[in-house]
Amino acid sequence: YVMWLCLFFAMGILTACPLAEKSVIFTVTGAALAFLAVCLCKRKFVFTLFLCLAFAVGMYAMNTDSKKNNMFEPFTGTGRIICGVVRDSYKSGDYTVSHIQTELVEYKKINAVIKLYVKGGTLYDYGDRIYAVGSLQIPEKPRYPGEADYRAYNYSRAVYASCFADSSEVILTDKSDNSFSLERFGSMARRKIKEEINLMLPSREAGILTALMLGDKSGVSDEFKDIGSKVGIYHTMATSGLHISILLTFFGLLIGKVVSCRRAAALMNIALLILFYTVIGYSPSISRAVIMSILMCVSYMTYSKADSFTSLAISAGVILAFRPYALFDVGFLLSFASTLGILIIYKKFSGLVKIKIFSALLMSVSALLGTGALTAFYFGRVTLLGTLSNMLIVPLAELILPLGYISAAAAMVVFPLGDFISYAVYP
């Protein structure tokens, strides 16, 4: 029942979304009406009512969120004045990219998020208040099939416009008061981890490790990205359920050795998940993995059996409730498709496979079958080699990720110790 409710909630979002094609909207609406008719014929009146309610709530959520799409449209162009508060700031090539929670745009009150690109600019702290004059642009839809849809990507992360300015056109008007918040902690921790990695490793290896640990691919060369995509390992450089499962397994085992109480261990794992979530970031794929893992910990605490399909549906519903546009994010779709492939195919046939290496191969194939159609649609190719390359890469990632986090954390306290541990990561 939860899965059907979440599905109708997603269908309501899709129907009301301005990014969706009309043919898709008509198809989804028709399918929803057909299913409701079947439910009514079977006299499931209460269930039908709840499905209609879920569909309506989905439409309402999308309509409410889509109003922000047009907030910046009257202000597009050059010489636009923006005042706001920094929520995150990082280097990307020659640019400093800052997420700005706007307060004023052309002296009109607008509360939304934009990306500020400053060539050669300095990094700002979370909570800094800035004044900028630049070129304001709203994301454009893809011009041809197969082109990356940055509009959907930005909308799914609640970013509704971009501003490009020179360093001389950006003024820091007020420094952060350094008050504590989880969001501030996550922003500062990401920056500190990246700084320590760049000090410990050469630039090429540092870029790859930063991508693996934080999903920040700004330090990875285009050549390596292309190679990773062709051999099917590019997904390891996007934070996902793989990262959460590795980190939870590694650190969860340590917690289990130290803490004997079942509920205390589960609570510590939940705290660990929230900590990783704030540091790694709030991408839809990592949100899905964190929510499902927290539900698993709760079931472990309450001595109940966790249902993976229900957990998957709940995680989708929670993400879409806060970020309706995530439904159009490729990472969100691939994350759920690969999980569904594993739940449907791997769980069904895993009992027949007794050898560990073949079990890993079956899991890889299951994920590939789950994401094959989406990969072909969005990227124009399906990487069959990925089933084999992942059998080599995933075990390495199980070592690299925990050691990477341990070395970065140690370097923050005693740099030579972290530097020494990083020698195990470098190969």
Side-chain angles (χ1 to χ4, degrees):
Y1 290 111
V2 172
M3 285 190 67
W4 280 111
L5 288 171
C6 288
L7 179 61
F8 266 71
F9 177 68
M11 292 168 83
I13 288 173
L14 189 60
T15 302
C17 183
L19 302 187
E21 300 289 340
K22 288 185 178 180
S23 58
V24 174
I25 293 173
F26 288 135
T27 303
V28 168
T29 307
L33 290 173
F35 187 80
L36 290 172
V38 171
C39 290
L40 286 173
C41 290
K42 292 185 176 183
R43 298 180 180 276
K44 294 187 175 182
F45 299 115
V46 176
F47 183 49
T48 304
L49 178 64
F50 275 104
L51 289 177
C52 291
L53 183 62
F55 192 89
V57 171
M59 292 185 69
Y60 175 79
M62 175 51 76
N63 282 325
T64 302
D65 204 48
S66 62
K67 289 177 182 178
K68 297 178 181 178
N69 300 356
N70 305 318
M71 276 187 174
F72 295 101
E73 194 166 354
F75 308 107
T76 55
T78 58
R80 302 306 182 187
I81 299 170
I82 295 164
C83 301
V85 179
V86 177
R87 294 303 178 204
D88 197 12
S89 186
Y90 55 91
K91 290 283 186 180
S92 180
D94 296 333
Y95 287 86
T96 297
V97 184
S98 301
H99 289 231
I100 308 297
Q101 185 80 41
T102 60
E103 295 174 337
L104 297 173
V105 177
E106 289 291 289
Y107 301 109
K108 291 188 177 180
K109 288 185 177 181
I110 293 184
N111 182 23
V113 179
I114 68 167
K115 276 185 181 179
L116 176 64
Y117 294 84
V118 182
K119 190 168 185 178
T122 57
L123 288 171
Y124 295 101
D125 293 329
Y126 179 95
D128 285 351
R129 186 168 271 100
I130 64 167
Y131 173 97
V133 179
S135 174
L136 192 67
Q137 302 174 10
I138 57 175
E140 296 181 354
K141 64 179 182 179
R143 290 166 292 181
Y144 52 86
E147 184 184 11
D149 192 348
Y150 290 108
R151 178 182 56 166
Y153 176 85
N154 284 328
Y155 285 175
S156 69
R157 285 153 177 79
V159 177
Y160 299 99
S162 300
C163 182
F164 296 84
D166 293 329
S167 56
S168 59
E169 297 174 319
V170 182
I171 301 171
L172 177 65
T173 59
D174 190 19
K175 278 296 291 179
S176 166
D177 60 3
N178 292 322
S179 58
F180 178 79
S181 70
L182 277 177
E183 196 173 2
R184 174 193 294 279
F185 171 78
S187 175
M188 301 308 292
R190 280 193 298 274
R191 182 186 300 183
K192 190 64 179 174
I193 288 170
K194 190 173 179 179
E195 289 174 356
E196 298 299 342
I197 292 171
N198 287 326
L199 288 173
M200 292 186 292
L201 295 173
S203 59
R204 185 179 66 171
E205 285 75 10
I208 295 170
L209 184 59
T210 302
L212 286 168
M213 290 172 57
L214 303 175
D216 180 357
K217 296 179 281 292
S218 58
V220 181
S221 66
D222 291 335
E223 180 186 12
F224 190 87
K225 290 177 185 177
D226 187 55
I227 293 170
S229 177
K230 285 179 179 177
V231 300
I233 62 168
Y234 187 69
H235 68 93
T236 58
M237 290 185 285
T239 49
S240 63
L242 172 67
H243 296 69
I244 291 296
S245 62
I246 290 172
L247 294 171
L248 194 60
T249 300
F250 183 86
F251 292 104
L253 286 173
L254 295 179
I255 291 171
K257 296 288 185 183
V258 176
V259 181
S260 57
C261 177
R262 183 188 183 106
R263 291 183 177 178
L267 284 172
M268 289 183 70
N269 279 324
I270 291 173
L272 185 68
L273 283 166
I274 294 171
L275 176 65
F276 282 133
Y277 187 50
T278 56
V279 172
I280 293 174
Y282 310 115
S283 69
S285 58
I286 208 72
S287 299
R288 191 271 311 161
V290 168
I291 293 169
M292 289 188 71
S293 298
I294 288 176
L295 291 173
M296 182 183 69
C297 290
V298 171
S299 69
Y300 186 76
M301 288 170 60
T302 55
Y303 296 89
S304 57
K305 185 179 179 181
D307 180 71
S308 299
F309 289 101
T310 304
S311 298
L312 186 66
I314 291 173
S315 63
V318 171
I319 293 167
L320 293 175
F322 288 96
R323 296 280 187 268
Y325 278 106
L327 190 59
F328 296 85
D329 180 66
V330 181
F332 173 88
L333 296 175
L334 290 175
S335 177
F336 278 85
S338 62
T339 306
L340 271 176
I342 291 169
L343 291 178
I344 295 170
I345 302 170
Y346 177 76
K347 288 289 179 73
K348 187 173 183 178
F349 297 101
S350 59
L352 304 175
V353 182
K354 304 299 181 184
I355 303 173
K356 191 173 182 179
I357 188 170
F358 290 119
S359 179
L361 179 61
L362 176 62
M363 182 174 285
S364 184
V365 170
S366 301
L368 177 66
L369 291 173
T371 59
L374 287 171
T375 305
F377 178 77
Y378 282 106
F379 305 110
R381 64 184 172 202
V382 178
T383 308
L384 298 176
L385 187 62
T387 56
L388 296 176
S389 58
N390 278 283
M391 292 178 67
L392 300 174
I393 294 299
V394 172
L396 286 175
E398 290 175 357
L399 295 173
I400 293 169
L401 282 172
L403 286 173
Y405 280 109
I406 291 170
S407 63
M412 293 179 196
V413 182
V414 181
F415 181 79
L417 176 60
D419 195 30
F420 177 76
I421 298 172
S422 73
Y423 279 97
V425 184
Y426 176 77

